[in-house]
Amino acid sequence: MKRKKSILFIMGKLDSGGVSKSMLNLLNVIDKEGYNISLLLINTTGVFTNNVPKGVEVLMDKRLTALTNGVRGVAELMRWGYWGLALASLFKLFLASISKVYAGLWLAKIMPCIVERPFDLIIDYGGQHQLYYMVNKLNGKKKITFFHSDYHKWNYYERADRQYLAHVDRIYTISETCVNALREVFPEYADKVRLMENILSPTLI
């Protein structure tokens, strides 16, 4: 029997925004008979967390959620006895007051690796610290990142993203405008940029 290829998606939080709905739409229509599909949720407090379709393995860890829950998360880490992570998370809050970029890089560094097995394909669906975490800590034969907006409006991550985009195989975005923005900001990676418009799932609707 032919081995089914494994795909891991990384999502920050399944909240009420457009990116979350796009993620759920994709998970609803993707071929779960032909592929082993997993979803790593960084933060499990989103309103759509329980709407992940059957056939998708959900990977989660309370430490990851706490690291992205601000002061409340720091208190939770302390209550659970993760003092080192609590201090690291406090430092992240300090860095965030100086630079979102430094805070994102630091967060990716301190996030524990909760899945060590290899995947045929890993897809970061949110960018920034999820991209950095995927590149630094997860084992995938191929790696893809998504960017869901016009990069010109989010260019404060440019310096860090430039470093990490060198380690992905493709960069997907949702419109021709967004494609052009990425190619203008990162001309050295222009051949990696691809268009994939948002999918609508009749099942989810």
Side-chain angles (χ1 to χ4, degrees):
M1 179 182 291
K2 185 178 180 181
R3 183 184 73 88
K4 291 202 298 186
K5 291 191 175 182
S6 58
I7 301 175
L8 173 66
F9 290 93
I10 308 170
M11 184 70 194
K13 189 177 183 180
L14 286 175
D15 225 332
S16 58
V19 176
S20 296
K21 293 174 184 176
S22 173
M23 177 82 273
L24 287 173
N25 280 321
L26 180 54
L27 290 175
N28 268 283
V29 302
I30 198 167
D31 179 11
K32 300 174 196 66
E33 296 297 323
Y35 299 94
N36 290 318
I37 308 298
S38 302
L39 172 66
L40 193 164
L41 269 181
I42 304 297
N43 188 306
T44 60
T45 63
V47 296
F48 288 141
T49 297
N50 295 325
N51 290 77
V52 177
K54 292 181 180 179
V56 176
E57 176 194 25
V58 180
L59 304 171
M60 59 183 75
D61 189 295
K62 65 181 182 180
R63 294 170 297 173
L64 295 181
T65 297
L67 284 169
T68 54
N69 268 354
V71 175
R72 177 182 175 184
V74 173
E76 289 173 333
L77 289 167
M78 293 173 66
R79 187 168 69 250
W80 299 329
Y82 296 112
W83 292 95
L85 277 181
L87 289 172
S89 191
L90 272 176
F91 186 61
K92 182 206 72 175
L93 296 177
F94 167 72
L95 286 176
S97 68
I98 300 172
S99 165
K100 292 182 179 180
V101 178
Y102 293 153
L105 289 167
W106 179 250
L107 176 58
K109 183 176 182 178
I110 64 176
M111 286 164 56
C113 179
I114 69 165
V115 54
E116 296 185 357
R117 70 179 187 266
F119 292 86
D120 293 292
L121 175 63
I122 302 179
I123 302 169
D124 144 51
Y125 210 67
Q128 279 75 61
H129 64 275
Q130 296 161 59
L131 165 62
Y132 314 149
Y133 180 72
M134 174 180 72
V135 169
N136 287 341
K137 297 191 176 181
L138 299 181
N139 184 2
K141 293 179 182 177
K142 298 285 186 180
K143 294 182 178 181
I144 289 174
T145 186
F146 266 80
F147 197 81
H148 297 267
S149 187
D150 182 341
Y151 199 92
H152 290 306
K153 300 177 181 178
W154 298 85
N155 58 5
Y156 41 82
Y157 287 105
E158 179 182 338
R159 188 172 179 181
D161 284 354
R162 175 167 277 107
Q163 173 186 346
Y164 280 89
L165 291 177
H167 301 284
V168 302
D169 297 281
R170 291 288 184 269
I171 306 162
Y172 276 87
T173 191
I174 60 172
S175 72
E176 290 292 350
T177 298
C178 296
V179 166
N180 292 335
L182 283 166
R183 287 175 174 168
E184 288 171 9
V185 177
F186 303 109
E188 66 271 43
Y189 305 133
D191 60 337
K192 294 184 179 184
V193 180
R194 297 289 189 277
L195 170 66
M196 192 180 96
E197 296 178 343
N198 286 329
I199 295 171
L200 293 178
S201 164
T203 302
L204 187 61
I205 291 172

